[in-house]
Amino acid sequence: MIDAALLMATSDVVIGLVVAVPVALVAGGIALVTRGRGRAGDTGGGSDGTSPGGRSGTTAVADRASATAATRTAEPSAPTVPTGAGAHPTEGSPTEAAPVDATPTPAPTPEPEAEPASYRGRLGKARGLLSGYVGAIRARGKIDGGTWDELEEALIRADVGVGATDALLDDLRARVKSGEIAGPDALVDALKADLVDMLASDASGLATVGATRPPAGPDGVERTVDVWLFVGVNGVGKTTTVGKVATRLSRDGTTVLLAAGDTFRAAAGEQLALWAERSGADIVRGSEGGDPSSVVFDAVQRASSKGVPLVLADTAGRLHNKVNLIEELKKIRRVSDRPPGHVAEVLLVLDATTGQNGLAQAKVFLEAVDVSGVVLTKLDGTAKGGIVVAIQRELGLPVKLVGLGEGADDLIDFDPEAFVDALF
């Protein structure tokens, strides 16, 4: 009885173990899976242990096992070459080095150099205005009344001026009548030659430093400093012109000193100081609203003490029809011409885009300060390039410098032949 009872008890224990151990193992596996997923950051499961899709953890494990088996039985894909520090290819899987491009890297293309200032390259607007008329004249095949109408309109629209236009056409008509000019092509060529002759001037070059100084003054003081005065109304580019001329002369070996004589425009002194720094020139400035003539006088004295042969003086450019301002310019000239100074140039700066208005300005300044030449700025920005002809023909003033752009090298000597050739 005891053996039978013991046998039955032992059997119950064995059966209990057989049932309990698998259950415990399953439960433990689920717990391990759940904890492992929690550590891996899987936050999509519900509070009842289900997966984000609503399936139990056991089902999810089974699904992953099936997917793994399917992957193992699928056709092998191309081996992946690991990248990054510490990465190694899987043992037993072949790796191939990435192909190396043997084509040499081309050298970088150098930046194109800035186009040097040239009449033909910069006078496109003026040439565009005249080209239509010239083409129409050449296409006529003969010189008739329409030819003269086309030619007159072209010259007037280019701002050559009525006086200069009449003089040119009268000369051409006489030569056609005499038989010297035959045909439209010859007429255009004769017009170009007449324009060059009209623009030519022996005084077109800038004064040579030191070449025109008179003898010492009554008190025996030697004139050792040339002064170039730059005059004109506001907005024409006087201060910029002074800076460009300073840069050009310094580059050619002439030491210059700048005088900031425009004391009424707040930014003029600062602007000229920047140009002085760029060109390596010294500068004398006065207080804002101060006496411009005193600034120029101080600049001449300083240049004389330092052995500088040339002073470039900026001046105020308020409206030219104000009598007191013209008197101010006269005073600046008188002070500048006292020994050791000598006024060698008075350059009137005109904006080419103003056209015939520039003539009115030129006449007033010519009477006030005895202008010796004209600097024509912004010539590249206008179709009315004929204003050059009007200035020299009607005022007798040589155009000495022309501005064909914004750069320091774009202010160049006036060349009548190159100018006319570029227009046609």
Side-chain angles (χ1 to χ4, degrees), residues 110-191:
E111 290 288 336
E113 295 183 1
E115 178 191 0
S118 66
Y119 289 95
R120 179 167 292 278
R122 304 292 178 88
L123 296 184
K125 290 185 177 180
R127 183 167 58 252
L129 184 146
L130 288 175
S131 62
Y133 291 99
V134 172
I137 291 171
R138 292 185 186 276
R140 286 182 176 276
K142 63 178 181 178
I143 300 175
D144 54 17
T147 302
W148 299 112
D149 291 341
E150 294 274 5
L151 201 53
E152 182 177 21
E153 184 176 346
L155 295 174
I156 293 296
R157 290 195 61 191
D159 246 359
V160 170
V162 175
T165 297
D166 288 344
L168 287 167
L169 294 183
D170 288 346
D171 175 70
L172 292 174
R173 283 192 179 99
R175 293 164 67 185
V176 169
K177 187 176 181 179
S178 67
E180 179 184 347
I181 298 174
D185 290 339
L187 179 64
V188 173
D189 291 340
L191 173 61

Side-chain angles (χ1 to χ4, degrees), residues 77-82 88-96:
S77 59
T80 302
V81 179
H88 300 281
T90 305
E91 184 178 355
S93 61
T95 60
E96 296 180 3

